[in-house]
Amino acid sequence: MNNKAIGVMDSGVGGLTVVKELIRQLPKEKIIYFGDSVRCPYGERSTEEVIHFTEEIFQFLSRKDIKVFIIACNTATAAAISKIREMTDIPVIGVIMPGSRRALQISNNNDIVVLSTRGTKNSHKYKSTIQKINDHANVLEIACPKFVPLIESGDYKNKKNRDKVIDETLSNLKRTSADTVILGCTHYPLISNYINEYFNNEKNIVDSGFETARDVSTLLEFKKLLSNRKSEVIHDIYVHGDYKQFEQILNEWMPNFKYTIQSVEL
Ligand code: DGL
């Protein structure tokens, strides 16, 4: 059981920001990753569609015999985590609770901005999760629908286009009193330096990937599921659709990552 893999999913490359932390904090664990590039962005889809896609991907990864399933996508976590938990006995971890907890830990004024997809914003899952812990927290949820296409296309490397999208999306927040900004979409850490600069490096930026990896580590330890693998780990990547663009971003984001990659249909 211990040497089974950790299954991770996202709509595209975003979940790699969680994987980067997982392999840093848990280097003996094998990851099987599913990126649903063909159907990205999830943030513009209906809740029913996102639930359906998440179920399909969970079923695909279950056939690979995984010991834990990580929904490394805020939109899918918001829409589908309770449904997936009903389908299985293995632990299912999402990214909203870990990011919310961290924001409350780090904020000095409990004034928090959440940047996310439209789907996550409309679910108000961040607001309810944060206020369940602290009723007095002020939570402003902002949809950033142009961020995921900017990142998936690789266009975020183009300064002019990147600056334009960031400015158009965040200009109303320039004078916010919030001291903490949650990157409520796993794609956003790929542009977190630029978001941070946009706020003159004055805000706490919360990357839920980092926090999620910590939760996974605690959970595996508690359930006695930590791997004791001795040999080098080769991870498996499945991409729904063409993986050329996906692989380019993967190699830039995690240059030392050892993996196999293949394109799959569902
Ligand atoms: N990375 C995902 C998230 O955290 C999905 C982005 C999208 O496909 O719209 O929400």
Side-chain angles (χ1 to χ4, degrees):
M1 178 73 167
N2 291 19
N3 289 337
K4 285 185 178 182
I6 297 177
V8 182
M9 71 153 283
D10 180 52
S11 63
V13 292
L16 295 176
T17 63
V18 179
V19 171
K20 189 170 184 170
E21 268 310 312
L22 282 171
I23 58 168
R24 205 176 62 80
Q25 296 184 35
L26 295 164
K28 293 186 181 179
E29 301 297 334
K30 177 183 170 101
I31 311 289
I32 305 183
Y33 185 92
F34 191 100
D36 197 359
S37 301
V38 147
R39 301 188 291 199
C40 186
Y42 279 12
E44 299 296 303
R45 304 256 185 189
S46 69
T47 307
E48 291 66 35
E49 274 179 305
V50 176
I51 292 174
H52 174 64
F53 297 163
T54 311
E55 283 174 349
E56 272 187 334
I57 296 168
F58 172 69
Q59 273 151 0
F60 177 90
L61 289 175
S62 294
R63 291 194 286 275
K64 311 278 170 210
D65 212 16
I66 52 176
K67 62 183 173 186
V68 48
F69 179 54
I70 304 180
I71 307 182
C73 171
N74 291 266
T75 316
T77 300
I81 193 164
S82 16
K83 286 264 167 18
I84 304 295
R85 282 183 172 148
E86 282 166 17
M87 290 167 66
T88 180
D89 290 332
I90 66 166
V92 179
I93 310 255
V95 279
I96 292 181
M97 177 49 103
S100 302
R101 213 188 292 124
R102 176 64 182 160
L104 284 168
Q105 232 171 49
I106 204 171
S107 172
N108 286 317
N109 63 2
N110 288 326
D111 197 348
I112 296 163
V113 167
V114 184
L115 306 180
S116 75
T117 66
R118 238 192 286 261
T120 303
K121 175 186 186 263
N122 292 342
S123 77
H124 300 299
K125 280 282 157 57
Y126 268 102
K127 196 177 182 121
S128 59
T129 305
I130 291 170
Q131 291 182 340
K132 200 160 140 195
I133 305 173
N134 182 342
D135 307 317
H136 303 297
N138 186 35
V139 182
L140 178 64
E141 296 167 299
I142 304 286
C144 312
K146 293 191 177 160
F147 282 6
V148 168
L150 178 83
I151 293 163
E152 283 286 327
S153 65
D155 210 22
Y156 68 101
K157 291 174 238 165
N158 177 322
K159 179 171 168 22
K160 194 162 158 262
N161 296 353
R162 180 179 71 222
D163 287 353
K164 184 167 178 285
V165 170
I166 292 181
D167 188 46
E168 270 170 21
T169 312
L170 304 181
S171 61
N172 286 342
L173 291 174
K174 263 287 185 193
R175 271 180 289 280
T176 176
S177 54
D179 69 349
T180 300
V181 175
I182 299 182
L183 304 180
C185 169
T186 53
H187 281 73
Y188 302 173
L190 283 147
I191 55 167
S192 65
N193 288 345
Y194 312 114
I195 294 175
N196 203 2
E197 271 168 26
Y198 190 77
F199 291 116
N200 301 317
N201 303 312
E202 284 167 357
K203 307 288 180 205
N204 303 310
I205 305 284
V206 174
D207 169 352
S208 38
F210 180 85
E211 301 307 321
T212 303
R214 265 214 330 211
D215 275 22
V216 175
S217 173
T218 309
L219 177 99
L220 293 182
E221 215 271 314
F222 178 72
K223 297 235 172 212
K224 299 192 173 29
L225 287 175
L226 281 169
S227 163
N228 54 9
R229 226 178 241 103
K230 298 274 183 292
S231 53
E232 183 183 43
V233 190
I234 312 285
H235 307 280
D236 296 335
I237 309 278
Y238 296 92
V239 179
H240 191 192
D242 180 59
Y243 64 73
K244 195 164 160 271
Q245 178 65 26
F246 181 103
E247 193 174 27
Q248 201 173 328
I249 296 175
L250 165 69
N251 289 330
E252 282 167 22
W253 184 241
M254 300 192 287
N256 300 318
F257 189 65
K258 300 271 185 312
Y259 64 94
T260 66
I261 188 163
Q262 56 184 291
S263 177
V264 285
E265 290 307 317
L266 283 180

